[in-house]
Amino acid sequence: MNHTAYLSLGSNMGNRMKNLEEALKKLENDYPIKVVNVSSIYETDPVGYEEQDLFLNMAVHVRTALSPYQLLEACLQTEKELGRKREIHWGPRTIDLDILLYNDENIITEMLVVPHPRMHERSFVIIPLLEISPDILLPTLKQPLCEIADQLSDKEGVRVWKEKNGEDVFALFEN
């Protein structure tokens, strides 16, 4: 498990919190992935296609033996197993898993772009990521996350829904 990655998770269909938890458990149980840290869970306004329910979003720090493409495949398979349907661009979803960062790599291929190409524009990504790793520099921008967060205009659309208050990464999902 010699690679570090950061993922963004989101859900706005069904039991949103359970969807986040199930996705994390599947990644950790079905693949060589170890969840190292998680952010609080944030309730967020939809972006892009706005005629849909509010999202729950979080950021996750993982260690993995998977290559970036294997990690992408693990995320896509987990989405599929949890009922993700891709019908409306930026539309409702049971679960959405995005690779934000993978080591300090810049990857630009047809299949995968890392760092995630729009992450610096999205408060629902930057705010949870800032919570768990405030010292990260995005390889493409060379700018601290706190500066990127300060420049975002949609921060009011991101509210703490369930605050992380334990050391164990899955304690967040306990009552």
Side-chain angles (χ1 to χ4, degrees):
M1 306 248 193
N2 53 354
H3 301 289
T4 296
Y6 291 87
L7 308 177
S8 176
L9 283 74
S11 175
N12 78 335
M13 292 177 66
N15 184 333
R16 302 173 300 167
M17 187 163 139
K18 184 108 178 111
N19 293 339
L20 297 175
E21 179 182 21
E22 288 298 313
L24 287 178
K25 285 183 176 174
K26 279 192 155 305
L27 288 173
E28 200 167 65
N29 293 336
D30 297 353
Y31 303 95
I33 295 172
K34 173 71 177 145
V35 177
V36 177
N37 197 5
V38 298
S39 70
S40 298
I41 299 173
Y42 293 80
E43 189 168 60
T44 64
D45 297 340
V47 173
Y49 178 72
E50 296 178 9
E51 299 300 313
Q52 59 182 320
D53 292 334
L54 298 176
F55 279 84
L56 290 185
N57 288 96
M58 66 188 306
V60 182
H61 173 200
V62 300
R63 303 276 305 150
T64 184
L66 299 176
S67 73
Y69 300 99
Q70 291 169 324
L71 181 58
L72 174 63
E73 187 54 42
C75 289
L76 293 172
Q77 184 61 33
T78 299
E79 288 180 347
K80 184 178 177 183
E81 289 174 18
L82 292 175
R84 167 89 189 254
K85 305 241 188 309
R86 296 176 183 271
E87 295 166 343
I88 301 172
H89 188 55
W90 290 330
R93 61 210 62 182
T94 52
I95 193 70
D96 183 34
L97 299 168
D98 287 324
I99 301 171
L100 302 176
L101 300 165
Y102 184 91
N103 296 328
D104 286 325
E105 294 182 28
N106 275 322
I107 302 167
I108 301 175
T109 66
E110 195 173 313
M111 281 180 48
L112 181 63
V113 178
V114 174
H116 191 282
R118 291 171 302 282
M119 68 182 280
H120 65 282
E121 302 168 358
R122 297 179 168 165
S123 292
F124 70 85
V125 171
I126 294 298
I127 291 171
L129 185 58
L130 185 59
E131 178 186 335
I132 59 173
S133 290
D135 298 328
I136 287 179
L137 287 176
L138 300 188
T140 48
L141 296 178
K142 301 291 187 221
Q143 189 177 19
L145 278 183
C146 59
E147 286 181 18
I148 294 168
D150 286 344
Q151 297 166 6
L152 293 168
S153 60
D154 63 341
K155 291 188 289 269
E156 70 282 345
V158 179
R159 301 159 297 278
V160 173
W161 187 78
K162 184 160 188 199
E163 192 164 5
K164 182 181 168 199
N165 60 4
E167 293 306 310
D168 175 66
V169 295
F170 286 100
L172 183 62
F173 297 101
E174 296 168 3
N175 292 334

